[in-house]
Amino acid sequence: MARRISLAHLTVLSLAPPEMIETAHATGYDAVGLRLIAVTPTTPGYPLMSDPAMLRETKAALGRTGIAVNDIEFVRITPELDVRSLEPLLATGADLGARHLITAPYDEDLGRLADKLAAIADLAQPYRIMPLLEFFPWAFVPNFAGAKDLVAATRRDNVGILFDVLHFSRTGGSIQQLVSTPARLLPFVHLCDAPAAMPATMEAMLHTARCDRLPPGQGGLDLLPILSALPADCPLGIEVPMEVLTGEIGPQAVARRCRQATDRLLQTWAGMSADRA
């Protein structure tokens, strides 16, 4: 099976969904991840569930290009979250053909967090959308081991983990953790690169994650062992925000650069795998 390569919205966040889809098609991607809920007050989200005109334009772009929607984002699971309020988001995601919903752990009560994630899974099941919990060094589930424990605590089969190589690397994740994880828990991963050196502060870590990553294979993260530990056909979401470069050359050129870098990395990985066979 060919590996699906998806363009994550954070890579080209200034583009509304219709234009993003056209960009993904023009630069060689198979799918997109759409940010329908803003993550911060200063960055955009595109609430297609309350914008019928843009939803129609988005569906038309999908039809013209053949691009698929891999995932929708971004739900912060907070103590105040009313899970039932997510139904329009899920219905819109299903209408677009999305497979996954990205969620994030912003509740220090891990029992309540697990219960809410389970409730999201129950709400999402009729829409055939799988919620994924993303872990971050600055959140209440800061690492891969914590994410596995939290997902297990939901006691739901339709919940997984969004594995981002940057967060995995920055929180001391091990290849053995990946090898021992059932493939169903990792339906796709976010791929990028970054300098090998750990940022000195949490503020610097946040800046790298949200604004200043590098294309795959162009930084210091040890990506080849991670690829080797994943199923060979595991889909990749290319999440590489580069604000300064985007301002210089534009989002389409950035998307193309990231796609080309991904191809080179995968060719290197394939050659390494063939040598070992």
Short mmCIF file of all heavy atoms in Angstrom, two decimals, residues 22 62 68 81 85 90 98 111 113 164 170 175 180 185 224-225 243:
data_model
loop_
_atom_site.label_atom_id
_atom_site.label_comp_id
_atom_site.label_asym_id
_atom_site.label_seq_id
_atom_site.Cartn_x
_atom_site.Cartn_y
_atom_site.Cartn_z
N GLU A 22 -6.06 23.33 -2.82
CA GLU A 22 -5.46 23.54 -4.14
C GLU A 22 -3.93 23.54 -4.04
O GLU A 22 -3.23 22.99 -4.91
CB GLU A 22 -5.94 24.87 -4.73
CG GLU A 22 -7.44 24.95 -4.97
CD GLU A 22 -7.92 24.16 -6.18
OE1 GLU A 22 -7.07 23.53 -6.88
OE2 GLU A 22 -9.15 24.17 -6.43
N LEU A 62 -12.06 19.86 -2.98
CA LEU A 62 -11.77 18.43 -2.80
C LEU A 62 -12.19 17.66 -4.04
O LEU A 62 -11.46 16.76 -4.52
CB LEU A 62 -12.50 17.89 -1.57
CG LEU A 62 -12.04 18.43 -0.21
CD1 LEU A 62 -12.99 17.95 0.89
CD2 LEU A 62 -10.60 18.00 0.10
N ALA A 68 -7.86 14.21 -0.30
CA ALA A 68 -8.68 13.70 0.80
C ALA A 68 -8.44 14.54 2.05
O ALA A 68 -7.44 15.25 2.17
CB ALA A 68 -8.34 12.24 1.08
N LEU A 81 -15.00 21.98 28.84
CA LEU A 81 -15.47 21.52 27.52
C LEU A 81 -16.79 20.77 27.64
O LEU A 81 -16.91 19.81 28.39
CB LEU A 81 -14.43 20.60 26.88
CG LEU A 81 -14.85 19.97 25.54
CD1 LEU A 81 -15.00 21.03 24.46
CD2 LEU A 81 -13.86 18.89 25.12
N SER A 85 -21.08 19.82 22.43
CA SER A 85 -20.92 20.96 21.54
C SER A 85 -20.06 20.63 20.32
O SER A 85 -20.02 21.41 19.36
CB SER A 85 -20.30 22.14 22.30
OG SER A 85 -18.93 21.89 22.60
N LEU A 90 -17.91 17.40 14.28
CA LEU A 90 -17.81 16.03 13.82
C LEU A 90 -18.66 15.79 12.57
O LEU A 90 -18.22 15.10 11.64
CB LEU A 90 -18.23 15.07 14.94
CG LEU A 90 -17.25 15.00 16.12
CD1 LEU A 90 -17.92 14.34 17.32
CD2 LEU A 90 -15.99 14.24 15.72
N ALA A 98 -13.27 13.23 6.71
CA ALA A 98 -12.15 13.16 7.66
C ALA A 98 -12.17 11.83 8.40
O ALA A 98 -13.22 11.29 8.73
CB ALA A 98 -12.23 14.32 8.65
N GLY A 111 -8.23 11.73 35.37
CA GLY A 111 -9.43 10.89 35.34
C GLY A 111 -10.55 11.56 34.57
O GLY A 111 -11.21 10.93 33.73
N LEU A 113 -10.12 13.91 32.40
CA LEU A 113 -9.64 14.01 31.02
C LEU A 113 -9.93 12.73 30.26
O LEU A 113 -10.42 12.77 29.11
CB LEU A 113 -8.14 14.31 31.04
CG LEU A 113 -7.43 14.46 29.71
CD1 LEU A 113 -8.00 15.62 28.90
CD2 LEU A 113 -5.94 14.65 29.92
N ASP A 164 3.71 13.11 17.24
CA ASP A 164 4.47 14.16 16.56
C ASP A 164 5.94 13.93 16.86
O ASP A 164 6.34 13.90 18.03
CB ASP A 164 4.00 15.54 17.06
CG ASP A 164 4.63 16.70 16.30
OD1 ASP A 164 5.87 16.72 16.17
OD2 ASP A 164 3.88 17.58 15.85
N ARG A 170 11.56 15.68 21.89
CA ARG A 170 11.84 16.65 22.94
C ARG A 170 11.50 16.12 24.33
O ARG A 170 11.90 16.72 25.34
CB ARG A 170 11.03 17.92 22.69
CG ARG A 170 11.48 18.73 21.46
CD ARG A 170 12.85 19.33 21.67
NE ARG A 170 13.19 20.29 20.63
CZ ARG A 170 14.20 20.16 19.78
NH1 ARG A 170 14.97 19.06 19.85
NH2 ARG A 170 14.47 21.07 18.88
N ILE A 175 12.69 4.44 20.97
CA ILE A 175 12.25 3.61 19.86
C ILE A 175 11.54 2.36 20.38
O ILE A 175 10.56 1.90 19.79
CB ILE A 175 13.45 3.22 18.98
CG1 ILE A 175 14.06 4.48 18.35
CG2 ILE A 175 13.02 2.25 17.89
CD1 ILE A 175 13.10 5.29 17.50
N SER A 180 6.78 -1.29 20.68
CA SER A 180 5.85 -2.04 21.53
C SER A 180 4.42 -1.50 21.49
O SER A 180 3.55 -2.01 22.20
CB SER A 180 6.35 -2.04 22.97
OG SER A 180 6.36 -0.72 23.51
N LEU A 185 -3.03 2.24 17.42
CA LEU A 185 -2.98 3.45 18.25
C LEU A 185 -2.28 4.60 17.54
O LEU A 185 -2.35 5.74 17.99
CB LEU A 185 -2.27 3.16 19.57
CG LEU A 185 -2.99 2.25 20.56
CD1 LEU A 185 -2.14 2.07 21.81
CD2 LEU A 185 -4.36 2.80 20.92
N LEU A 224 15.19 8.63 11.00
CA LEU A 224 15.21 7.33 10.32
C LEU A 224 14.86 6.17 11.26
O LEU A 224 14.06 5.31 10.88
CB LEU A 224 16.56 7.11 9.65
CG LEU A 224 16.86 8.06 8.47
CD1 LEU A 224 18.28 7.85 7.96
CD2 LEU A 224 15.85 7.86 7.35
N PRO A 225 15.38 6.12 12.48
CA PRO A 225 14.94 5.05 13.39
C PRO A 225 13.45 5.12 13.72
O PRO A 225 12.80 4.08 13.89
CB PRO A 225 15.80 5.26 14.64
CG PRO A 225 17.00 6.00 14.15
CD PRO A 225 16.50 6.89 13.05
N GLU A 243 7.44 30.41 9.85
CA GLU A 243 6.83 31.72 9.65
C GLU A 243 7.73 32.66 8.85
O GLU A 243 7.25 33.35 7.94
CB GLU A 243 6.48 32.34 11.00
CG GLU A 243 5.23 31.78 11.64
CD GLU A 243 4.76 32.59 12.82
OE1 GLU A 243 5.45 33.56 13.21
OE2 GLU A 243 3.69 32.26 13.35
#
